[in-house]
Amino acid sequence: MRRGTFRDETVDYAAVGATQAPDLLQYPPEKSIPAEESWKLGSGEERFRSAGDALLSWSALRDGGISIAEVRPASDPSYSGVSFDDEGQPIAPSRLDADQRFDADGTPYVAAGSSVHVRGRIGGYRVDAELRVIFVVEEKRRIGFALGTVRDSVVSGEESFMIEWRGDDEVWFTVRAFDRPVAPLYRLLPALVRRRRRELFSRYLRAISPMYTTPA
Protein backbone atom coordinates (compact mmCIF):
# COMPACT_ATOMS: atom_id res chain seq x y z
CA MET A 1 0.00 0.00 0.00
CA ARG A 2 1.20 3.50 -0.84
CA ARG A 3 0.72 6.25 1.70
CA GLY A 4 0.76 9.82 0.45
CA THR A 5 0.99 13.29 1.92
CA PHE A 6 -2.46 14.84 2.01
CA ARG A 7 -3.10 18.47 2.73
CA ASP A 8 -5.25 18.85 5.84
CA GLU A 9 -8.34 20.20 4.10
CA THR A 10 -12.02 20.33 4.91
CA VAL A 11 -14.65 18.99 2.52
CA ASP A 12 -15.71 21.13 -0.45
CA TYR A 13 -19.44 21.32 0.35
CA ALA A 14 -21.47 22.89 3.15
CA ALA A 15 -24.14 20.29 3.99
CA VAL A 16 -21.90 17.92 5.95
CA GLY A 17 -23.82 14.85 7.12
CA ALA A 18 -26.86 15.57 4.93
CA THR A 19 -26.94 11.96 3.67
CA GLN A 20 -28.48 11.15 7.07
CA ALA A 21 -31.37 13.59 6.67
CA PRO A 22 -34.68 11.67 6.39
CA ASP A 23 -35.94 14.13 3.74
CA LEU A 24 -32.79 14.04 1.59
CA LEU A 25 -34.65 12.92 -1.53
CA GLN A 26 -37.28 15.66 -1.17
CA TYR A 27 -34.98 18.48 -0.04
CA PRO A 28 -31.38 17.85 -1.16
CA PRO A 29 -28.62 20.42 -0.65
CA GLU A 30 -28.77 23.29 -3.14
CA LYS A 31 -27.93 22.34 -6.76
CA SER A 32 -27.36 18.71 -5.73
CA ILE A 33 -28.93 15.55 -7.16
CA PRO A 34 -29.95 13.06 -4.42
CA ALA A 35 -30.05 9.28 -4.69
CA GLU A 36 -30.84 6.29 -2.48
CA GLU A 37 -30.94 2.52 -2.91
CA SER A 38 -31.50 -0.32 -0.44
CA TRP A 39 -30.89 -4.04 -0.90
CA LYS A 40 -31.52 -7.06 1.29
CA LEU A 41 -28.28 -8.93 2.02
CA GLY A 42 -29.75 -11.86 3.90
CA SER A 43 -30.59 -12.39 7.55
CA GLY A 44 -29.01 -13.06 10.90
CA GLU A 45 -26.18 -11.73 13.01
CA GLU A 46 -23.46 -13.59 11.10
CA ARG A 47 -24.49 -11.95 7.82
CA PHE A 48 -24.64 -8.56 9.54
CA ARG A 49 -21.17 -8.93 11.07
CA SER A 50 -19.50 -10.22 7.92
CA ALA A 51 -21.07 -7.53 5.74
CA GLY A 52 -20.12 -4.85 8.26
CA ASP A 53 -16.51 -6.00 8.38
CA ALA A 54 -16.34 -6.04 4.59
CA LEU A 55 -17.79 -2.54 4.45
CA LEU A 56 -15.32 -1.06 6.96
CA SER A 57 -12.39 -2.61 5.08
CA TRP A 58 -13.34 -0.58 1.97
CA SER A 59 -14.77 -3.61 0.11
CA ALA A 60 -17.73 -1.71 -1.35
CA LEU A 61 -15.28 0.50 -3.23
CA ARG A 62 -12.32 -1.82 -3.86
CA ASP A 63 -14.32 -4.87 -4.91
CA GLY A 64 -16.53 -2.55 -6.94
CA GLY A 65 -13.60 -1.57 -9.14
CA ILE A 66 -12.35 1.55 -7.35
CA SER A 67 -8.76 1.53 -6.12
CA ILE A 68 -7.85 2.93 -2.72
CA ALA A 69 -4.65 4.71 -3.65
CA GLU A 70 -3.79 6.43 -0.37
CA VAL A 71 -5.12 6.48 3.18
CA ARG A 72 -4.21 9.04 5.81
CA PRO A 73 -5.51 8.91 9.42
CA ALA A 74 -7.21 11.93 10.97
CA SER A 75 -4.75 14.61 12.02
CA ASP A 76 -6.41 14.64 15.45
CA PRO A 77 -6.48 11.05 16.78
CA SER A 78 -9.38 11.89 19.10
CA TYR A 79 -11.59 12.99 16.20
CA SER A 80 -14.77 10.91 16.22
CA GLY A 81 -16.62 12.39 13.26
CA VAL A 82 -20.15 13.65 12.89
CA SER A 83 -22.93 11.35 14.13
CA PHE A 84 -26.70 11.51 13.59
CA ASP A 85 -29.84 9.81 14.91
CA ASP A 86 -32.63 8.30 12.78
CA GLU A 87 -34.15 11.76 12.30
CA GLY A 88 -30.89 13.21 10.99
CA GLN A 89 -30.15 15.17 14.17
CA PRO A 90 -26.56 15.40 15.49
CA ILE A 91 -25.85 13.22 18.52
CA ALA A 92 -22.84 12.13 20.53
CA PRO A 93 -20.67 9.68 18.60
CA SER A 94 -21.29 5.99 19.20
CA ARG A 95 -17.59 5.22 19.36
CA LEU A 96 -14.66 7.31 20.56
CA ASP A 97 -10.96 6.81 19.91
CA ALA A 98 -11.43 3.46 18.18
CA ASP A 99 -8.34 1.29 17.91
CA GLN A 100 -6.93 1.44 14.40
CA ARG A 101 -7.47 -1.79 12.44
CA PHE A 102 -5.84 -2.98 9.23
CA ASP A 103 -6.80 -5.47 6.55
CA ALA A 104 -4.58 -8.27 5.22
CA ASP A 105 -2.58 -5.98 2.90
CA GLY A 106 -2.02 -3.33 5.58
CA THR A 107 -4.67 -0.83 4.51
CA PRO A 108 -6.28 0.92 7.51
CA TYR A 109 -9.97 0.25 8.06
CA VAL A 110 -12.38 3.13 7.62
CA ALA A 111 -11.95 5.61 10.49
CA ALA A 112 -13.66 8.93 11.19
CA GLY A 113 -11.67 11.89 9.92
CA SER A 114 -9.31 9.86 7.75
CA SER A 115 -8.67 10.83 4.14
CA VAL A 116 -8.49 8.59 1.09
CA HIS A 117 -7.65 9.01 -2.58
CA VAL A 118 -9.78 6.90 -4.90
CA ARG A 119 -9.23 6.13 -8.58
CA GLY A 120 -11.02 4.05 -11.17
CA ARG A 121 -13.30 3.96 -14.16
CA ILE A 122 -16.82 2.70 -13.58
CA GLY A 123 -18.93 1.97 -16.64
CA GLY A 124 -17.07 4.63 -18.60
CA TYR A 125 -17.31 7.21 -15.80
CA ARG A 126 -14.13 8.52 -14.18
CA VAL A 127 -13.57 8.25 -10.43
CA ASP A 128 -10.54 10.23 -9.22
CA ALA A 129 -10.86 12.26 -6.04
CA GLU A 130 -9.71 12.95 -2.52
CA LEU A 131 -12.38 12.08 0.04
CA ARG A 132 -12.78 12.36 3.79
CA VAL A 133 -14.58 9.99 6.15
CA ILE A 134 -17.30 12.15 7.70
CA PHE A 135 -18.45 9.66 10.32
CA VAL A 136 -18.29 5.98 11.23
CA VAL A 137 -21.12 4.09 12.96
CA GLU A 138 -20.46 0.81 14.78
CA GLU A 139 -23.52 -0.10 16.81
CA LYS A 140 -25.25 -3.31 17.84
CA ARG A 141 -27.47 -3.28 14.75
CA ARG A 142 -25.97 -0.62 12.47
CA ILE A 143 -22.56 -0.38 10.81
CA GLY A 144 -21.60 2.22 8.27
CA PHE A 145 -19.81 5.39 7.29
CA ALA A 146 -20.01 8.42 5.00
CA LEU A 147 -17.50 9.90 2.56
CA GLY A 148 -17.35 13.55 1.53
CA THR A 149 -15.46 15.10 -1.37
CA VAL A 150 -12.41 17.23 -0.57
CA ARG A 151 -11.26 18.15 -4.07
CA ASP A 152 -10.60 16.95 -7.64
CA SER A 153 -13.88 15.06 -8.10
CA VAL A 154 -16.17 15.62 -11.10
CA VAL A 155 -18.97 16.08 -8.55
CA SER A 156 -19.07 17.60 -5.07
CA GLY A 157 -21.03 15.97 -2.28
CA GLU A 158 -21.37 13.02 0.04
CA GLU A 159 -22.30 9.35 0.03
CA SER A 160 -23.15 7.14 2.98
CA PHE A 161 -23.02 3.36 3.30
CA MET A 162 -25.11 1.72 6.02
CA ILE A 163 -25.74 -1.91 6.93
CA GLU A 164 -28.66 -2.51 9.28
CA TRP A 165 -29.72 -5.66 11.12
CA ARG A 166 -33.44 -5.06 11.50
CA GLY A 167 -35.87 -6.29 14.13
CA ASP A 168 -37.26 -8.97 11.78
CA ASP A 169 -33.70 -10.43 11.52
CA GLU A 170 -33.22 -9.18 7.93
CA VAL A 171 -29.96 -7.45 7.00
CA TRP A 172 -30.18 -4.50 4.60
CA PHE A 173 -27.55 -2.40 2.84
CA THR A 174 -28.52 1.22 2.10
CA VAL A 175 -26.49 3.72 0.10
CA ARG A 176 -27.47 7.40 -0.03
CA ALA A 177 -25.78 10.27 -1.83
CA PHE A 178 -26.08 13.79 -3.10
CA ASP A 179 -23.96 15.05 -6.00
CA ARG A 180 -23.49 18.61 -7.25
CA PRO A 181 -22.01 18.66 -10.76
CA VAL A 182 -18.56 20.29 -10.86
CA ALA A 183 -16.92 19.23 -14.14
CA PRO A 184 -18.19 21.28 -17.13
CA LEU A 185 -19.64 18.27 -18.94
CA TYR A 186 -21.61 17.20 -15.86
CA ARG A 187 -22.94 20.72 -15.33
CA LEU A 188 -24.07 20.78 -18.95
CA LEU A 189 -25.61 17.29 -18.85
CA PRO A 190 -26.98 16.54 -15.34
CA ALA A 191 -28.31 13.18 -16.59
CA LEU A 192 -24.69 11.99 -16.59
CA VAL A 193 -24.58 12.55 -12.83
CA ARG A 194 -27.57 10.25 -12.35
CA ARG A 195 -26.13 7.57 -14.66
CA ARG A 196 -22.77 7.70 -12.91
CA ARG A 197 -24.46 7.38 -9.54
CA ARG A 198 -26.56 4.39 -10.66
CA GLU A 199 -23.43 2.65 -11.89
CA LEU A 200 -21.64 3.31 -8.60
CA PHE A 201 -24.58 1.99 -6.57
CA SER A 202 -24.67 -1.16 -8.70
CA ARG A 203 -20.94 -1.74 -8.14
CA TYR A 204 -21.28 -1.25 -4.38
CA LEU A 205 -24.06 -3.85 -4.23
CA ARG A 206 -22.06 -6.29 -6.33
CA ALA A 207 -19.17 -5.95 -3.90
CA ILE A 208 -21.15 -6.39 -0.67
CA SER A 209 -24.13 -8.60 -1.48
CA PRO A 210 -23.70 -12.40 -1.63
CA MET A 211 -26.95 -12.58 -3.61
CA TYR A 212 -26.16 -10.01 -6.29
CA THR A 213 -26.84 -10.99 -9.88
CA THR A 214 -26.09 -8.80 -12.86
CA PRO A 215 -29.34 -7.63 -14.50
CA ALA A 216 -29.98 -9.15 -17.93
Side-chain angles (χ1 to χ4, degrees):
M1 182 194 68
R2 181 166 63 92
R3 288 186 172 87
T5 54
F6 280 73
R7 291 197 295 269
D8 188 14
E9 297 175 298
T10 58
V11 293
D12 61 4
Y13 61 97
V16 176
T19 50
Q20 299 305 287
D23 57 358
L24 171 67
L25 298 183
Q26 291 75 32
Y27 303 102
E30 186 177 4
K31 298 182 180 180
S32 294
I33 299 172
E36 177 183 281
E37 291 286 351
S38 293
W39 305 279
K40 182 181 176 181
L41 300 182
S43 60
E45 183 174 4
E46 183 177 354
R47 171 59 57 204
F48 170 69
R49 298 296 175 194
S50 62
D53 189 71
L55 185 67
L56 294 182
S57 61
W58 304 101
S59 288
L61 280 74
R62 294 200 296 190
D63 293 347
I66 300 173
S67 67
I68 305 298
E70 302 168 352
V71 177
R72 179 187 175 188
S75 56
D76 179 358
S78 66
Y79 177 78
S80 55
V82 182
S83 189
F84 301 85
D85 63 17
D86 292 339
E87 300 301 320
Q89 299 300 314
I91 58 174
S94 60
R95 180 169 177 158
L96 292 172
D97 295 328
D99 293 334
Q100 181 67 67
R101 291 170 289 172
F102 299 85
D103 67 10
D105 70 0
T107 301
Y109 271 43
V110 175
S114 62
S115 299
V116 60
H117 196 114
V118 297
R119 294 190 179 98
R121 200 158 191 87
I122 304 300
Y125 300 98
R126 181 172 68 91
V127 177
D128 187 353
E130 291 191 20
L131 308 174
R132 173 151 295 165
V133 179
I134 303 303
F135 64 80
V136 177
V137 173
E138 291 188 71
E139 299 173 348
K140 185 176 180 180
R141 288 183 174 267
R142 286 199 315 153
I143 296 174
F145 66 97
L147 291 172
T149 55
V150 174
R151 60 187 176 92
D152 296 339
S153 180
V154 296
V155 297
S156 171
E158 186 177 294
E159 59 185 348
S160 67
F161 309 78
M162 196 66 63
I163 293 174
E164 181 183 7
W165 180 22
R166 298 181 177 177
D168 59 4
D169 204 39
E170 293 183 347
V171 178
W172 285 77
F173 177 35
T174 298
V175 184
R176 310 182 90 211
F178 59 87
D179 300 303
R180 178 178 60 84
V182 173
L185 181 61
Y186 286 80
R187 292 202 304 267
L188 181 65
L189 300 171
L192 291 179
V193 177
R194 296 183 177 90
R195 292 174 189 169
R196 178 179 182 271
R197 176 53 58 189
R198 284 196 298 268
E199 184 65 30
L200 285 168
F201 278 6
S202 176
R203 293 298 186 97
Y204 298 154
L205 172 61
R206 186 179 305 166
I208 294 295
S209 175
M211 299 183 292
Y212 181 88
T213 56
T214 304

